[in-house]
C-alpha cells in the first residue's frame, strides 16, 4: 500500500517533538517548563485578581492590562498540555482536529494580544498628548468597545486559516517541528498546492501584527513629540515613565515574534534547535515576563503586592 493510501485510510494525527537532540522522553526538561507555566499562571491570575478587587485600579489603563493578562493566559493554556506531553512522553501524537484547534487558539490569542497592545498605546497617547480629555475620551463604553473589537478581529481573521488547512491532504511525514501546532509548520506537511493558505496566512499577519506595530510606532512618535514640548526635564521624565511598562510589553512581544516568524518563513536552512527555541520564546516569554514587568514598574500594583505580602506575613505571625 502506498504512503498516500495509508494517509487516507488511517486516522490522521501529528507527532509532536521536544528539543532536537534530546531523547523523545525528557521528564527533567518538563520540570522547568512546568515551573515556567506555574509562574505564568500565578503572575497573570494575581494581576487579574488585584485589578478586580482594588477599586483604585478600575481605570482604562488597568482594564487594558487585564485584557493583556487574559490574552497571555489564553496563549499559554493553549500550548501547556502538548508542551508538557512532548517532554514527558515519548513522541506524543495529536489528532488533526485537535491540532487545528490548538493552532487556531495560538494564533487567535496572539492576534488579540497584539490588538490589546495597540489599545494600550492609544491609552498612553491620550494620557500624555491630551491629558485634560483623558476621562472623556477613554470612557468605560469606549474601553469595552475596544476590547470587543480586538476580540472580534482576532477570532475572525484567524478563522479562515484554520478552515483552509482543515480541508488539506497530508501525506508522508507527520512529524511537527515543535511541541505545539503552528500554521507554517503544518503547511510543511501538506501534499499539494499550499499557495492560497500560505498567502492568506501572510495577509493575516500583516493585517494584525503588521498594522499593529505601525500603529504603535506612530503613537509613540506623537508621544515623543509631545514630550519634547515639555519644558521641565522632571515633568518630561515623569510623563515618559508611565510608558515604560507598555514599551517593555511591546518589546517582549514583538522581538520574539520577529525572531521566530522571519526564519520560519524565509530561513529554510536554519538549525532545527534554533527554530524550536525561537518558537518557545515567542509563546512563553511574553506571558511570563509581562506580569513581572508591570508588577515592578507600576507603582499601584507594586504597593498592592507589598500590602498583600505584609498581610500574609502578619497572618503567619499570629
Amino acid at each position: 500500500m502506498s504512503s498516500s493510501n495509508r494517509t487516507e485510510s488511517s486516522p490522521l494525527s501529528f507527532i509532536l517533538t521536544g528539543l532536537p537532540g534530546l531523547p523523545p522522553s525528557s521528564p527533567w526538561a518538563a520540570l522547568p517548563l512546568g515551573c515556567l507555566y506555574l509562574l505564568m499562571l500565578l503572575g497573570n491570575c494575581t494581576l487579574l485578581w488585584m485589578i478586580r478587587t482594588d477599586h483604585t485600579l478600575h481605570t482604562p489603563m488597568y482594564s487594558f492590562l487585564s485584557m493583556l493578562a487574559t490574552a497571555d493566559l489564553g496563549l499559554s493554556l493553549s500550548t501547556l498540555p502538548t508542551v508538557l506531553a512532548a517532554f514527558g512522553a515519548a513522541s506524543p501524537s495529536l489528532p488533526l482536529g485537535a491540532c487545528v484547534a490548538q493552532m487556531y487558539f495560538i494564533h487567535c490569542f496572539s492576534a488579540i494580544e497584539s490588538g490589546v497592545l495597540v489599545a494600550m498605546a492609544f491609552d498612553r497617547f491620550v494620557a500624555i498628548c491630551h491629558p485634560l480629555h483623558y476621562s472623556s475620551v477613554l470612557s468605560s463604553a469606549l474601553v469595552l468597545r475596544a476590547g470587543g473589537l480586538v476580540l472580534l478581529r482576532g477570532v475572525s481573521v484567524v478563522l479562515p486559516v484554520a478552515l483552509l488547512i482543515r480541508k488539506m491532504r497530508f501525506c508522508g511525514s507527520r512529524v511537527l517541528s515543535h511541541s505545539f501546532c503552528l500554521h507554517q509548520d503544518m503547511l510543511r506537511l501538506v501534499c499539494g498546492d499550499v499557495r492560497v493558505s500560505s498567502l492568506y496566512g501572510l495577509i493575516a499577519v500583516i493585517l494584525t501584527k503588521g498594522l499593529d506595530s505601525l500603529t504603535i510606532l506612530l503613537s509613540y512618535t506623537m508621544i515623543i513629540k509631545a514630550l519634547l514640548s515639555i519644558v521641565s526635564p522632571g515633568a518630561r521624565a515623569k510623563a515618559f515613565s508611565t510608558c515604560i511598562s507598555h514599551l517593555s510589553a511591546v518589546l517582549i512581544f514583538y522581538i520574539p515574534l520577529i525572531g521566530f516568524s522571519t526564519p520560519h518563513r524565509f530561513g529554510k536552512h536554519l538549525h532545527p534547535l534554533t527554530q524550536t527555541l525561537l518558537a518557545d520564546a515567542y509563546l512563553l516569554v511574553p506571558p511570563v515576563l509581562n506580569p513581572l514587568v508591570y508588577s515592578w514598574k507600576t507603582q499601584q500594583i507594586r504597593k498592592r503586592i507589598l500590602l498583600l505580602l505584609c498581610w500574609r506575613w502578619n497572618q503567619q505571625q499570629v
Side-chain angles (χ1 to χ4, degrees), residues 169-314:
R169 291 178 60 251
F170 295 86
C171 53
S173 173
R174 299 177 186 173
V175 180
L176 296 173
S177 304
H178 309 293
S179 51
F180 37 78
C181 302
L182 293 174
H183 181 236
Q184 285 299 114
D185 199 20
M186 294 181 69
L187 280 185
R188 182 177 56 84
L189 306 181
V190 172
C191 50
D193 191 359
V194 299
R195 286 178 295 180
V196 173
S197 184
S198 182
L199 178 61
Y200 181 80
L202 181 61
I203 292 173
V205 170
I206 293 173
L207 290 177
T208 52
K209 284 102 172 188
L211 288 179
D212 291 348
S213 58
L214 290 177
T215 304
I216 293 172
L217 181 61
L218 178 61
S219 298
Y220 274 97
T221 300
M222 292 186 287
I223 287 173
I224 292 172
K225 184 178 178 181
L227 290 174
L228 293 176
S229 65
I230 299 176
V231 177
S232 170
R236 186 187 308 160
K238 184 177 180 180
F240 183 73
S241 66
T242 64
C243 301
I244 295 296
S245 297
H246 177 253
L247 273 174
S248 300
V250 170
L251 295 176
I252 288 169
F253 179 78
Y254 280 102
I255 289 178
L257 173 63
I258 294 171
F260 164 70
S261 299
T262 304
H264 213 286
R265 285 187 174 273
F266 307 110
K268 303 299 183 182
H269 304 291
L270 197 66
H271 193 277
L273 178 59
T274 305
Q275 285 189 355
T276 301
L277 292 176
L278 288 172
D280 291 342
Y282 157 58
L283 294 177
L284 296 180
V285 169
V288 172
L289 291 187
N290 281 336
L292 298 178
V293 167
Y294 273 93
S295 300
W296 175 48
K297 295 299 296 182
T298 306
Q299 186 177 8
Q300 292 93 323
I301 294 178
R302 191 167 62 248
K303 286 182 177 179
R304 180 75 170 166
I305 291 176
L306 289 175
L307 287 173
L308 179 62
L309 291 176
C310 290
W311 179 81
R312 291 291 299 173
W313 171 262
N314 291 332

Side-chain angles (χ1 to χ4, degrees), residues 24-267:
S25 178
S26 306
W28 62 268
L31 179 61
L33 282 171
C35 293
L36 205 60
Y37 275 109
L38 183 62
L39 179 62
M40 176 277 303
L41 289 170
L42 181 63
N44 286 288
C45 288
T46 301
L47 268 184
L48 289 172
W49 176 77
M50 285 191 299
I51 294 171
R52 179 179 176 82
T53 57
D54 191 342
H55 293 286
T56 64
L57 301 181
H58 291 180
T59 63
M61 183 179 78
Y62 294 105
S63 296
F64 290 132
L65 179 56
S66 65
M67 296 178 194
L68 183 68
T70 303
D72 279 336
L73 281 172
L75 187 61
S76 296
L77 292 175
S78 297
T79 62
L80 186 150
T82 56
V83 169
L84 295 184
F87 286 93
S91 301
S93 61
L94 200 63
L96 174 63
C99 195
V100 171
Q102 185 185 51
M103 179 207 71
Y104 172 76
F105 284 116
I106 288 175
H107 292 295
C108 180
F109 280 114
S110 180
I112 290 172
E113 180 161 347
S114 180
V116 172
L117 290 174
V118 173
M120 298 175 82
F122 179 71
D123 171 84
R124 293 299 85 206
F125 164 74
V126 176
I128 292 175
C129 299
H130 304 283
L132 299 178
H133 303 286
Y134 181 80
S135 298
S136 59
V137 172
L138 282 168
S139 62
S140 299
L142 179 63
V143 172
L144 189 61
R145 285 198 297 268
L149 184 62
V150 168
L151 176 63
L152 180 62
R153 188 194 67 163
V155 170
S156 58
V157 169
V158 181
L159 184 59
V161 175
L163 295 177
L164 284 170
I165 203 165
R166 185 69 176 82
K167 297 178 180 179
M168 292 183 175
R169 291 178 60 251
F170 295 86
C171 53
S173 173
R174 299 177 186 173
V175 180
L176 296 173
S177 304
H178 309 293
S179 51
F180 37 78
C181 302
L182 293 174
H183 181 236
Q184 285 299 114
D185 199 20
M186 294 181 69
L187 280 185
R188 182 177 56 84
L189 306 181
V190 172
C191 50
D193 191 359
V194 299
R195 286 178 295 180
V196 173
S197 184
S198 182
L199 178 61
Y200 181 80
L202 181 61
I203 292 173
V205 170
I206 293 173
L207 290 177
T208 52
K209 284 102 172 188
L211 288 179
D212 291 348
S213 58
L214 290 177
T215 304
I216 293 172
L217 181 61
L218 178 61
S219 298
Y220 274 97
T221 300
M222 292 186 287
I223 287 173
I224 292 172
K225 184 178 178 181
L227 290 174
L228 293 176
S229 65
I230 299 176
V231 177
S232 170
R236 186 187 308 160
K238 184 177 180 180
F240 183 73
S241 66
T242 64
C243 301
I244 295 296
S245 297
H246 177 253
L247 273 174
S248 300
V250 170
L251 295 176
I252 288 169
F253 179 78
Y254 280 102
I255 289 178
L257 173 63
I258 294 171
F260 164 70
S261 299
T262 304
H264 213 286
R265 285 187 174 273
F266 307 110

